[in-house]
Amino acid sequence: MTSKPKLGLVLGSGGLRGLAHVGVISVLEENNIEFDLVAGCSIGSLIGALVCSGYNSATILGLAKGLSKGSWFDFVMHKKGFIGTENIYKIVETLTKGRRIEELEKPFAAVAADLATGKEKIFRQGDVAAAVCSSVAVPGIFVPYEFEGRQMVDGVIVNPTPVSVAREMGADVVLAVDLAAVSTIDEVKTVFDVVIRSLDIMEKGLYSYQRLRQECDVLIQPELSSCAVTDFEKIEECFLIGREAGWEALPKLLEVLEKSQGR
């Protein structure tokens, strides 16, 4: 008897472009493809925490449209950043009902970086909201999130599309959604643009995309050049671009799953 391969979903960093993740997930739902675990970085960790808590793509899209920019971001006067994570923590805590990672419906991991050591921090247990806040805290913009006396920042600087984490979690097949393949800033005008553009460049330096393709079984890279990482007006567009990319990748994913099941 052949066993069903364990499908790992990897959701990469990318700001509000992350709504493309939700579009991909909607395609999986419509084709009754159930993933077994999720590894996420930055916005991918937020969406991953929600899907592992039982939220479907339609609900997550509705939340994204219904919550304003001010709901997520609390602007602060701090020497280490100008956006705090308090609002994000409260939202995630409420939506996940204050559960710990090990209490979620599916195995979940969030990737952050320890600012002092520069090392990757993988959250696979503990407070879900703390893990997400650690993973989304863009350095230079967000105040680093303090976790057990350590300062955590966005995992984008160490592992923006954490395929390796999904493998460590036991995934037989890895479907990765990478949002760093395109830059979305044509003109650098603000300090925010400087940081985001710098992270874009760094992400491309961290990953050879040929190597990324080799590490995962199916790689989805939505064409998001029209969507800025901070544009709340492009939520629906990002979602639809993710759906399109998901449908394009579906035949290969089905083929890989079928082959893996026959092993």
Side-chain angles (χ1 to χ4, degrees), residues 74 195 225 228 250:
D74 48 316
V195 173
S225 57
L250 183 63

Side-chain angles (χ1 to χ4, degrees), residues 43-56:
I43 186 67
S45 74
L46 172 57
I47 293 170
L50 295 180
V51 296
C52 288
S53 297
Y55 291 92
N56 62 24

Side-chain angles (χ1 to χ4, degrees), residues 3-20:
S3 59
K4 175 183 175 294
K6 186 175 290 187
L7 176 60
L9 179 63
V10 175
L11 304 177
S13 60
L16 286 175
R17 289 178 287 184
L19 270 298

Side-chain angles (χ1 to χ4, degrees), residues 242-259:
R243 279 184 58 80
E244 181 179 356
W247 279 108
E248 287 177 1
L250 183 63
K252 182 177 181 181
L253 176 60
L254 291 173
E255 179 185 354
V256 169
L257 289 171
E258 184 177 358
K259 287 182 179 178

Side-chain angles (χ1 to χ4, degrees), residues 64-143:
K65 290 179 176 179
L67 291 170
S68 66
K69 183 187 299 186
S71 300
W72 291 100
F73 301 144
D74 48 316
F75 291 91
V76 297
M77 295 294 292
H78 196 286
K79 60 185 179 182
K80 295 180 182 178
F82 52 88
I83 299 178
T85 52
E86 184 177 348
N87 286 5
I88 295 174
Y89 186 96
K90 289 177 179 177
I91 291 172
V92 175
E93 183 181 44
T94 299
L95 293 175
T96 60
K97 299 180 174 65
R99 283 182 287 181
R100 295 173 61 83
I101 292 173
E102 53 268 43
E103 296 172 330
L104 298 179
E105 296 179 14
K106 295 179 185 290
F108 168 68
V111 176
D114 185 318
L115 192 58
T117 65
K119 293 181 179 180
E120 179 181 65
K121 168 65 177 176
I122 302 171
F123 291 85
R124 291 187 59 182
Q125 58 185 13
D127 187 342
V128 176
V132 171
C133 286
S134 296
S135 187
V136 304
V138 179
I141 296 175
F142 282 82
V143 178

Side-chain angles (χ1 to χ4, degrees), residues 12-72:
S13 60
L16 286 175
R17 289 178 287 184
L19 270 298
H21 290 323
V22 185
V24 172
I25 292 167
S26 73
V27 173
L28 299 179
E29 291 170 348
E30 289 170 23
N31 288 275
N32 298 313
I33 298 174
E34 187 171 346
F35 47 87
D36 299 284
L37 57 91
V38 180
C41 178
S42 198
I43 186 67
S45 74
L46 172 57
I47 293 170
L50 295 180
V51 296
C52 288
S53 297
Y55 291 92
N56 62 24
S57 59
T59 302
I60 296 173
L61 179 62
L63 287 168
K65 290 179 176 179
L67 291 170
S68 66
K69 183 187 299 186
S71 300
W72 291 100

